[in-house]
Amino acid sequence: MTAKTSLKAARMVASNPVAGKPAQPNLLSGGNPQIALGYGDAPVQAYIAAMPGWKSEVGRHLDEVITRNVPGVHKAAKWNSPLYGLEGQGWFLGIHCFAKYIKVAFFRGASLNPVPPETSKQKDVRYFHIRENDPFNEDQFAAWVKQASQLPGERM
């Protein structure tokens, strides 16, 4: 089942038989790509490729930092958002596009040190927003990713 859904997402982006060009996912309100549910790297890469404008480059960089800092990270696209987790431990991080920023959700962010700056209605969740031309502290982001991956993940 896992490989099948990943292949479906990859095929959606890989070809469009009518136009002979890569298919582009619809952008939902706020510019978030609409990506089919799928597990593995392919649907996450499809999401990143479909992120509009400057967000795609930032998405690639976020994915690279997460992958480099969490060996064996598992990926999925659910609810039109990439999720990152560890097998059998749940999801520790999600990404979502909005019109003016990218929202990185740390599902146990209240336990990170320092705590990511944006609060949530959910007591454990904290967010990190990335806006165009914002300075990006890769060391801090990598530290959050490493810490988050060591906490119990969310079952979704």
Side-chain angles (χ1 to χ4, degrees):
M1 183 170 119
T2 300
K4 191 174 186 180
T5 56
S6 295
L7 289 174
K8 179 181 176 186
R11 285 187 196 116
M12 181 182 84
V13 171
S15 68
N16 179 339
V18 175
K21 297 181 181 180
Q24 293 299 315
N26 292 329
L27 295 180
L28 303 171
S29 65
N32 195 52
Q34 184 177 22
I35 298 295
L37 168 69
Y39 294 87
D41 190 52
V44 171
Q45 295 309 315
Y47 178 94
I48 291 168
M51 292 169 79
W54 62 271
K55 295 173 188 142
S56 185
E57 182 179 335
V58 172
R60 278 190 294 280
H61 188 66
L62 294 174
D63 182 71
E64 191 273 330
V65 172
I66 296 163
T67 302
R68 180 173 12 109
N69 285 283
V70 183
V73 69
H74 283 248
K75 302 177 186 183
K78 291 184 170 194
W79 304 288
N80 301 308
S81 296
L83 298 177
Y84 295 83
L86 293 170
E87 185 172 12
Q89 297 179 27
W91 305 106
F92 62 85
L93 180 152
I95 298 172
H96 196 86
C97 283
F98 287 89
K100 297 188 182 211
Y101 63 94
I102 298 169
K103 177 182 277 193
V104 179
F106 292 97
F107 302 129
R108 299 274 188 242
S111 298
L112 302 180
N113 185 20
V115 174
E118 304 296 330
T119 60
S120 171
K121 293 178 183 178
Q122 299 171 1
K123 73 175 189 157
D124 291 333
V125 176
R126 292 296 183 273
Y127 302 115
F128 174 58
H129 294 170
I130 304 168
R131 291 175 178 79
E132 186 174 17
N133 300 319
D134 274 357
F136 180 71
N137 184 335
E138 183 173 321
D139 291 337
Q140 179 60 72
F141 183 72
W144 281 331
V145 167
K146 287 177 193 175
Q147 290 176 56
S149 71
Q150 295 169 1
L151 297 171
E154 285 293 317
R155 307 279 179 200
M156 296 185 228

